[in-house]
């Protein structure tokens, strides 16, 4: 059941800001915990997988939630397919470096295949999100324009 009390918008905004800050702090804590466990305590990869999954899962949650709400994930005025490809290559490099340093994988073939798979997967996922986000924004804009014409 929802609380039927009316709350001030300013208070709701402040509560959401505090929750957002706490979420960011938690993500930073998880990243620091991963680095400390791996490089100071020399923990094997399987011991830091849970924290790593938490960080990646939180990133996916934020992206998908913003997509479903129709928030501007990719600014259509500045976002191009070239930027998505560039970001995919950078993500592939970062993930390959993570595999090299955190998981200790040193086989060049495995790293190359991982780079290609991650880059292609990220590009496909990004293009899909871009398309869905643009479609959702167009739908919201259409509804707003329809409401505008109904008023006049």
């Amino acid at each position: 059941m929802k609380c039927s009390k009316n709350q001030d918008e300013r208070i709701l905004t402040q509560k959401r800001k505090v929750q957002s800050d706490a979420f960011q702090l938690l993500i930073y804590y998880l990243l620091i915990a991963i680095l400390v466990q791996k490089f100071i305590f020399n923990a094997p990869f399987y011991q830091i997988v849970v924290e790593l999954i938490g960080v990646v899962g939180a990133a996916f949650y934020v992206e998908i939630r913003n997509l479903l709400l129709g928030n501007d994930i990719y600014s259509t005025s500045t976002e191009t397919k070239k930027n998505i490809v560039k970001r995919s290559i950078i993500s592939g490099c970062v993930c390959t470096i993570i595999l090299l340093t955190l998981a200790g994988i040193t086989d060049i073939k495995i790293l190359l295949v991982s780079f290609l798979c991650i880059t292609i997967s990220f590009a496909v996922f990004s293009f899909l999100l871009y398309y869905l986000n643009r479609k959702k924004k167009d739908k919201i804009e259409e509804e707003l324009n329809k409401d505008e014409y109904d008023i006049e």
Side-chain angles (χ1 to χ4, degrees):
M1 293 180 58
K2 291 189 175 184
C3 183
S4 62
K5 277 186 171 179
N6 289 334
Q7 290 188 353
D8 187 13
E9 252 183 72
R10 181 184 55 82
I11 294 171
L12 287 175
T13 302
Q14 288 176 344
K15 283 182 181 179
R16 289 182 182 130
K17 176 70 173 138
V18 168
Q19 291 171 348
S20 174
D21 291 344
F23 179 78
Q24 289 176 355
L25 288 173
L26 183 61
I27 295 301
Y28 292 142
Y29 169 76
L30 286 175
L31 288 172
I32 291 169
I34 290 169
L35 294 174
V36 166
Q37 286 181 17
K38 183 61 183 174
F39 296 113
I40 294 177
F41 298 132
N42 294 324
F45 184 69
Y46 68 86
Q47 286 185 342
I48 59 174
V49 167
V50 174
E51 288 90 348
L52 199 57
I53 289 172
V55 170
V56 172
F60 278 125
Y61 173 78
V62 169
E63 285 285 324
I64 291 171
R65 185 74 172 147
N66 278 316
L67 171 77
L68 293 175
L69 292 174
N71 293 338
D72 194 17
I73 297 174
Y74 301 110
S75 176
T76 53
S77 61
T78 60
E79 189 65 33
T80 62
K81 292 176 178 147
K82 184 178 175 182
N83 288 344
I84 291 175
V85 171
K86 190 183 336 177
R87 223 182 1 243
S88 298
I89 292 171
I90 291 170
S91 297
C93 289
V94 168
C95 289
T96 304
I97 290 169
I98 288 172
L99 283 174
L100 180 66
T101 57
L102 294 182
I105 297 173
T106 56
D107 187 10
I108 298 296
K109 290 179 184 176
I110 293 174
L111 291 173
L112 185 61
V113 169
S114 299
F115 170 76
L116 291 174
C117 290
I118 290 167
T119 301
I120 291 169
S121 299
F122 191 85
V124 168
F125 186 71
S126 294
F127 279 120
L128 180 68
L129 281 179
Y130 177 71
Y131 170 75
L132 292 173
N133 185 249
R134 193 177 66 209
K135 191 174 176 181
K136 181 73 173 186
K137 285 189 333 189
D138 290 344
K139 181 180 175 186
I140 290 171
E141 199 168 306
E142 181 182 308
E143 288 177 10
L144 290 174
N145 287 337
K146 188 176 91 173
D147 290 341
E148 234 177 61
Y149 290 126
D150 289 343
I151 292 173
E152 293 176 359

